[in-house]
Amino acid sequence: MASQAGPFPFPVQTRQFAAVIDDVHTEFVVMGYDNRVMVIVTQIGKLGSIIQAKQDISQDGFLKNSFSVKTLLGRRDEPLLEICARRLMELLATAGCRRPLLLTLGLKNTSAGTLKSVLELIMLRGKVW
């Protein structure tokens, strides 16, 4: 992936950047589609696990303060990946984004500290919502 920073025009608003997390080069691509936000984070040059997260809707159509998370492809034995997706969805909802999230994580290290750094960088540098 190229290490460009900044938004790109139509059709999809995109932010692409890189950072070093725990001495490992990490690439980020954050895309704001009309119907969802897609975030790619990789330290291995591949997508890794693909996780979907969305804010739940009550029967009367109102958004609830709960979130559904599902691993679509990849590691199902690593609960911190789903926790990361849920937390990112919470942060997006707090920032006013109501679109579902599709998160891909290809990380060498999936420790809580690494995932916290990933979340901080996405919220700081990846705003497309």
Side-chain angles (χ1 to χ4, degrees):
M1 285 194 254
S3 295
Q4 298 175 342
F8 298 95
F10 181 81
V12 178
Q13 187 177 8
T14 303
R15 299 234 187 236
Q16 185 170 352
F17 57 95
V20 176
I21 300 174
D22 298 328
D23 297 322
V24 180
H25 179 79
T26 309
E27 294 278 341
F28 294 79
V29 181
V30 183
M31 296 166 281
Y33 292 90
D34 283 343
N35 65 342
R36 74 184 62 249
V37 173
M38 181 173 182
V39 179
I40 301 169
V41 183
T42 187
Q43 296 175 331
I44 60 174
K46 299 175 184 170
L47 293 178
S49 296
I50 301 175
I51 305 161
Q52 174 182 283
K54 61 183 178 179
Q55 191 168 9
D56 295 329
I57 300 173
S58 66
Q59 290 182 344
D60 55 5
F62 292 102
L63 292 172
K64 298 190 323 188
N65 200 19
S66 62
F67 304 89
S68 298
V69 178
K70 181 179 180 182
T71 300
L72 301 177
L73 294 170
R75 295 185 63 179
R76 287 174 168 69
D77 62 342
E78 184 59 68
L80 282 180
L81 298 180
E82 286 194 357
I83 292 169
C84 180
R86 183 186 193 288
R87 181 65 184 137
L88 181 55
M89 189 65 238
E90 289 174 352
L91 293 169
L92 292 174
T94 300
C97 179
R98 300 294 178 235
R99 292 174 279 176
L101 170 68
L102 189 62
L103 175 65
T104 74
L105 294 169
L107 302 174
K108 291 180 179 179
N109 177 359
T110 57
S111 70
T114 296
L115 295 173
K116 181 179 178 191
S117 296
V118 164
L119 291 173
E120 289 171 354
L121 285 162
I122 292 167
M123 294 307 292
L124 180 67
R125 297 179 61 189
K127 190 175 269 190
V128 295
W129 46 90

